[in-house]
C-alpha cells in the first residue's frame, strides 16, 4: 500500500500512537513494530510514526513510559516464576528424573529475587549503610580533632621546654649572684688589713 500522507498530526493520532507504543513496551515488544502497526492504521509511514514519537511524544509521556517498563518487568518476573514453578512441579511429579537446566534454576531464582524477604533485607542493608556512613563521618571528625590536639600538645611541649631553659638561665645567673654575695659576705666578716689581699 502506497503511503504518502504528509498532513499535520491530530490529537487522536497522537493518542493512538502513544497507546500502541506503550502497549508494546508493556508486553515486551519493540517500538519499531508499534510504529508499523500505527503506520498501517493511520496511512502514514513507520518512519513518520517513529519521528513523531521520538521528536515530540516520548518527552511528553516519560512517566507513562517508565510505568510501562515497570509493568513489563513485573510481567516478565511473573511469567518466569510461573514457568519455573511449572518445571519444578513437573520435576517433582516425575520423581526428580526430569531434566532441569541451569537456565531454569537461574530463572526460578530470579523470580524469587524480588520477594518481601528481599525488601526487608534491602531496608536493613540501607540502614546499615547509613550507619556506616555516619560512623565514617564520626571517625573523620575524631581524626581531625586528634590532629588538632597533637598540634596543641606540640605547642605546649615547645613552650614548656623554652620555659625550662629560661629557668636554667635564671638559676645560673642567680647562682652567680649568690656566689658574688657570698664573697662579699666573706670580705665583710674579715677586717681589711693593709698589705693583705
Amino acid at each position: 500500500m502506497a503511503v504518502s500522507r504528509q498532513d499535520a498530526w491530530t490529537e487522536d493520532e497522537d493518542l493512538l500512537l502513544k497507546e500502541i507504543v506503550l502497549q508494546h513496551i508493556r508486553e515486551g515488544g519493540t517500538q519499531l513494530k508499534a510504529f508499523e502497526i500505527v503506520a498501517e492504521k493511520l496511512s502514514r509511514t513507520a518512519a513518520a510514526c517513529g519521528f513523531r514519537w521520538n521528536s515530540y511524544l516520548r518527552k511528553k509521556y516519560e512517566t507513562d513510559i517508565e510505568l510501562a517498563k515497570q509493568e513489563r518487568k513485573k510481567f516478565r518476573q511473573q511469567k518466569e516464576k510461573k514457568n519455573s514453578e511449572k518445571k519444578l512441579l513437573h520435576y517433582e511429579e516425575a520423581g526428580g528424573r526430569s531434566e532441569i537446566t541451569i537456565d531454569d534454576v537461574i530463572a526460578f531464582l530470579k523470580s524469587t529475587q524480588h520477594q518481601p524477604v528481599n525488601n526487608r533485607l534491602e531496608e536493613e542493608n540501607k540502614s546499615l549503610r547509613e550507619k556506616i556512613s555516619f560512623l565514617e563521618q564520626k571517625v573523620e571528625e575524631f581524626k581531625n580533632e586528634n590532629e588538632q590536639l597533637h598540634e596543641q600538645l606540640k605547642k605546649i611541649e615547645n613552650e614548656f621546654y623554652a620555659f625550662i631553659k629560661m629557668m636554667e638561665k635564671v638559676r645560673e645567673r642567680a647562682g652567680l649572684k649568690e656566689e658574688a654575695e657570698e664573697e662579699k659576705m666573706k670580705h665583710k666578716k674579715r677586717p681589711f688589713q693593709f698589705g693583705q689581699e
Side-chain angles (χ1 to χ4, degrees), residues 11-23:
E11 191 174 321
D12 289 338
E13 291 173 328
D14 283 345
L15 287 174
L16 179 67
L17 178 59
K18 174 194 109 170
E19 288 304 320
I20 291 177
V21 169
L22 291 176
Q23 177 184 355

Side-chain angles (χ1 to χ4, degrees), residues 14-55:
D14 283 345
L15 287 174
L16 179 67
L17 178 59
K18 174 194 109 170
E19 288 304 320
I20 291 177
V21 169
L22 291 176
Q23 177 184 355
H24 273 73
I25 292 173
R26 278 190 293 274
E27 294 173 356
T30 65
Q31 291 181 14
L32 292 175
K33 183 65 178 169
F35 299 153
E36 290 171 2
I37 292 170
V38 174
E40 191 174 310
K41 289 185 178 190
L42 298 180
S43 300
R44 293 185 182 268
T45 64
C49 294
F51 182 79
R52 179 67 176 176
W53 175 257
N54 289 316
S55 66

